[in-house]
Amino acid sequence: MSSCTTARTARRRRTVRIAAAALTAVAGLTLTACNGSGADEVKPAGQSDKGMATAESGGTGSSSGSQSSDAKAGSDAKSGSGAKSDAKAGGSGSAGKQSGGAPAANSGKAGSGAQRCHTSGLKAAFATGEDAVPDEDGASTASVVLTNKGSSSCVIGGFAGVDFTSENGGERWSLARSSAKHGSITLAPGDSTDFKINVVMTKEDTGFYQPARAEVTPPNETKSITIEWPFGTLVDQRGATHPGTFVNPIG
């Protein structure tokens, strides 16, 4: 082997050693850098973990607080439901008072026996006393007396229906009603009330209407009471727009 070859071989070996040393140094630096980085990261991570543990603990506390709040809210909601129930109960109580008022009124009505007067419990008749007889000629009045013949009180008010039947052929005349206001009254057993019929009487032999009887139908009833007409002749105004013979309200 020549000296030149020996020199080149020595240089290559030295170069390999230097390269190996360089690689070892780089590896060491890399390892150191990695270890240093890990050490640097571990500590902050530990702090971060600690901080996270605290946050999680606080979060758990917050969650517990939320549960407590929810539980409290649930308790309040329950109380609210109770309040609602109380309100509902109060409403029922209020309704109960209203309901209580209605039976009281009914009880009062039942207690007084103030039911509506029915045809079957009434007696009707024309008043024929000295002051009750209508004038023989001209406008006057006739009174119909209604008596409670039942065993309990009853209420009556409004207009009775009155239909005349004539002597000559049985022609009917359904009397008109006045525009007078009316109320109602209570009739105890045996008590009476009346209503007036405005009449226009005549002595003439023409244009007259001679009633034979009157059919009196009490207010809100369908059955009538037939009574005899005890007076004279009426002016026939069955076709008149505003007849002078008409019915006034009871009482």
Side-chain angles (χ1 to χ4, degrees), residues 92-113 115:
S92 298
S94 177
K97 286 183 180 179
Q98 292 178 357
S99 298
N106 291 336
S107 298
K109 187 175 181 181
S112 64
Q115 303 298 321

Side-chain angles (χ1 to χ4, degrees), residues 11-226:
R11 283 197 299 272
R12 282 198 298 270
R13 288 177 179 172
R14 189 168 49 250
T15 300
V16 170
R17 285 197 300 271
I18 291 170
L23 289 172
T24 302
V26 170
L29 288 172
T30 303
L31 180 61
T32 301
C34 291
N35 289 339
S37 176
D40 290 341
E41 288 177 359
V42 167
K43 188 175 180 181
Q47 292 175 350
S48 177
D49 289 344
K50 186 177 179 181
M52 286 177 65
T54 303
E56 286 176 359
S57 176
T60 304
S62 176
S63 177
S64 300
S66 298
Q67 290 176 358
S68 299
S69 299
D70 291 343
K72 185 176 180 181
S75 175
D76 291 341
K78 186 176 182 181
S79 299
S81 300
K84 187 175 180 181
S85 298
D86 291 341
K88 186 177 181 182
S92 298
S94 177
K97 286 183 180 179
Q98 292 178 357
S99 298
N106 291 336
S107 298
K109 187 175 181 181
S112 64
Q115 303 298 321
R116 191 182 82 231
C117 295
H118 298 288
T119 303
S120 59
L122 293 172
K123 180 175 66 176
F126 279 104
T128 56
E130 185 176 348
D131 296 334
V133 177
D135 295 338
E136 294 182 356
D137 197 13
S140 188
T141 60
S143 295
V144 176
V145 179
L146 297 173
T147 303
N148 179 6
K149 65 178 184 179
S151 58
S152 60
S153 297
C154 66
V155 175
I156 192 168
F159 288 88
V162 177
D163 294 275
F164 285 142
T165 301
S166 69
E167 289 184 345
N168 54 342
E171 297 175 338
R172 295 179 65 83
W173 182 0
S174 295
L175 301 189
R177 297 175 180 180
S178 73
S179 58
K181 294 182 179 180
H182 60 83
S184 61
I185 59 173
T186 301
L187 296 180
D191 282 355
S192 298
T193 186
D194 68 347
F195 66 91
K196 294 186 181 300
I197 302 174
N198 278 54
V199 293
V200 180
M201 309 292 289
T202 183
K203 290 183 178 180
E204 299 294 330
D205 294 334
T206 58
F208 69 91
Y209 182 92
Q210 179 60 58
R213 62 192 66 86
E215 294 179 5
V216 178
T217 306
N220 303 309
E221 293 290 299
T222 57
K223 294 182 178 180
S224 60
I225 305 168
T226 301

